[in-house]
Amino acid sequence: MFGHKKKVRIILTSLLFMVFIFLIVGNTTPIQSTDEYGTIDEVEITVLLDNYPNGTLQNPWGVSMLVETNDYTILFDTGSEPNALGNNSIALGKDLTQVDYVIISHEHWDHTYGLEYVAEVKPGVTVYVPYNMGTMIRTEIENLGFDVVRIHQTTILSPGIAIIGELYGPPYEHALAVNIANIGLVVVVGCSHPGVENHVEKAVTDLSVDPYLVIGGFHLGGAGQTIYAATTTSLLELGVDYIFPIHCSGDGIRAYIESFYPEYYREGCVGTHLIIDQTLATQVNSLGVIPVVAALITTPIICRLKKKRSN
Ligand SMILES: [Fe+2]
Ligand SMILES: [Fe+2]
């Protein structure tokens, strides 16, 4: 068999290879087993910024959502205007000094510029970014004083909360998945440059949990009926029950899903407020009735369609 020197050489080579892989992948905690993922009982999502208008709330181009569980307050993207993020947060009764961490979906300005406001109210907080985010924008975020953590693979942040590993659009982009007990995954996306159906599919594959709801930008402005149909079919085949296309989704996909699949479509805009609570679903289920989203989710009734440019 092997001589002693050869064995030592093989062991050293293996160790060097492992160190190399660690440096490439980064200091993340990739999912080991879906058993580790866990569940949470309830999540609240508030759309702090979106270009789809609602009353007196500010609606500059971009998106930002506050994701609240019993234990964590997560800011997902920060929109394009720091003042608008601050003003809307206050108007919606949300205190961003309570944010535990920030997730930036991808490097585009309409998701990152609001970090200037976050730096004022929550200096030094952890900001999770795609591992392959451009160096320039990552350095800018670091220069705002944040603790930037790069994520490559699907990573569990705490029980029931995971970042879905980055996909390439361009640019590289990741998403958030919250696992609500007895309901399934609530998937939060930024622009979906790699395709919203691909983010959801990766979440389902990596986490082995069925999807329930997806909200965010789908980046399909002007894509056309064929793409609208293919995207919607993919989401429905994956098992998504409710679809909230906002931000850069485009009026076309909103109109398409609303027309052909109204039971799956939900209109979202700045100020949209969702409460997804497993205890409500459990109560409804105990009566032998399929959970109805209206019982779980509230949305504002003022939400006009308004044509905006896509990013
Ligand atoms: Fe965007
Ligand atoms: Fe984008």
Side-chain angles (χ1 to χ4, degrees):
M1 298 298 282
F2 300 118
H4 178 68
K5 281 185 179 175
K6 194 165 184 180
K7 277 183 184 171
V8 169
R9 206 161 50 231
I10 289 171
I11 290 168
L12 283 175
T13 305
S14 301
L15 282 172
L16 278 171
F17 180 73
M18 288 166 69
V19 169
F20 174 75
I21 291 295
F22 178 81
L23 289 173
I24 290 292
V25 170
N27 185 17
T28 62
T29 310
I31 187 166
Q32 301 295 321
S33 152
T34 50
D35 295 340
E36 297 174 14
Y37 186 26
T39 60
I40 56 176
D41 290 340
E42 178 186 326
V43 68
E44 244 180 275
I45 298 177
T46 308
V47 181
L48 300 177
L49 283 174
D50 183 40
N51 33 279
Y52 283 99
N54 178 9
T56 58
L57 291 168
Q58 293 182 244
N59 63 306
W61 183 258
V63 75
S64 175
M65 290 177 263
L66 195 67
V67 179
E68 296 171 277
T69 71
N70 284 339
D71 298 318
Y72 294 98
T73 298
I74 307 158
L75 185 63
F76 184 90
D77 284 340
T78 62
S80 62
E81 292 186 12
N83 288 341
L85 180 61
N87 292 338
N88 281 3
S89 299
I90 292 165
L92 291 163
K94 298 300 179 186
D95 178 3
L96 296 194
T97 67
Q98 299 304 307
V99 165
D100 292 301
Y101 54 86
V102 179
I103 298 172
I104 293 292
S105 64
H106 67 297
E107 62 195 54
H108 286 157
W109 63 279
D110 54 325
H111 300 252
T112 59
Y113 276 20
L115 280 169
E116 267 184 42
Y117 177 76
V118 183
E120 287 174 21
V121 298
K122 191 72 180 186
V125 74
T126 296
V127 177
Y128 293 102
V129 303
Y131 190 84
N132 285 296
M133 170 183 268
T135 306
M136 191 179 292
I137 178 67
R138 197 183 80 234
T139 303
E140 284 176 16
I141 295 171
E142 286 168 346
N143 288 342
L144 286 170
F146 294 113
D147 175 23
V148 175
V149 177
R150 300 162 72 190
I151 299 290
H152 177 57
Q153 300 181 53
T154 295
T155 301
I156 297 169
L157 300 179
S158 57
I161 301 175
I163 289 179
I164 307 163
E166 65 181 356
L167 296 172
Y168 185 62
Y172 284 94
E173 181 168 350
H174 59 196
L176 169 67
V178 181
N179 188 16
I180 309 298
N182 300 318
I183 289 184
L185 294 180
V186 173
V187 179
V188 182
V189 295
C191 263
S192 300
H193 291 283
V196 62
E197 70 279 21
N198 295 322
H199 285 303
V200 174
E201 184 178 26
K202 184 167 176 59
V204 172
T205 302
D206 288 0
L207 300 167
S208 297
V209 181
D210 289 336
Y212 173 71
L213 180 153
V214 59
I215 183 168
F218 294 3
H219 197 63
L220 292 173
Q225 296 291 308
T226 305
I227 301 293
Y228 302 151
T231 303
T232 307
T233 301
S234 295
L235 290 175
L236 299 186
E237 284 178 355
L238 285 163
V240 173
D241 290 317
Y242 297 102
I243 305 172
F244 284 78
I246 59 174
H247 177 39
C248 58
S249 298
D251 295 343
I253 185 89
R254 285 163 67 106
Y256 179 89
I257 305 175
E258 187 175 23
S259 297
F260 294 103
Y261 302 95
E263 66 273 36
Y264 295 96
Y265 177 74
R266 291 296 181 274
E267 190 162 302
C269 58
V270 60
T272 288
H273 182 223
L274 314 180
I275 300 173
I276 300 133
D277 182 342
Q278 75 95 13
T279 56
L280 282 176
T282 307
Q283 286 166 15
V284 177
N285 274 329
S286 70
L287 300 175
V289 178
I290 296 170
V292 179
V293 77
L296 311 173
I297 291 176
T298 55
T299 58
I301 53 172
I302 307 164
C303 193
R304 303 187 312 272
L305 290 180
K306 185 178 173 185
K307 190 77 179 166
K308 285 274 187 175
R309 70 185 171 78
S310 177
N311 181 46

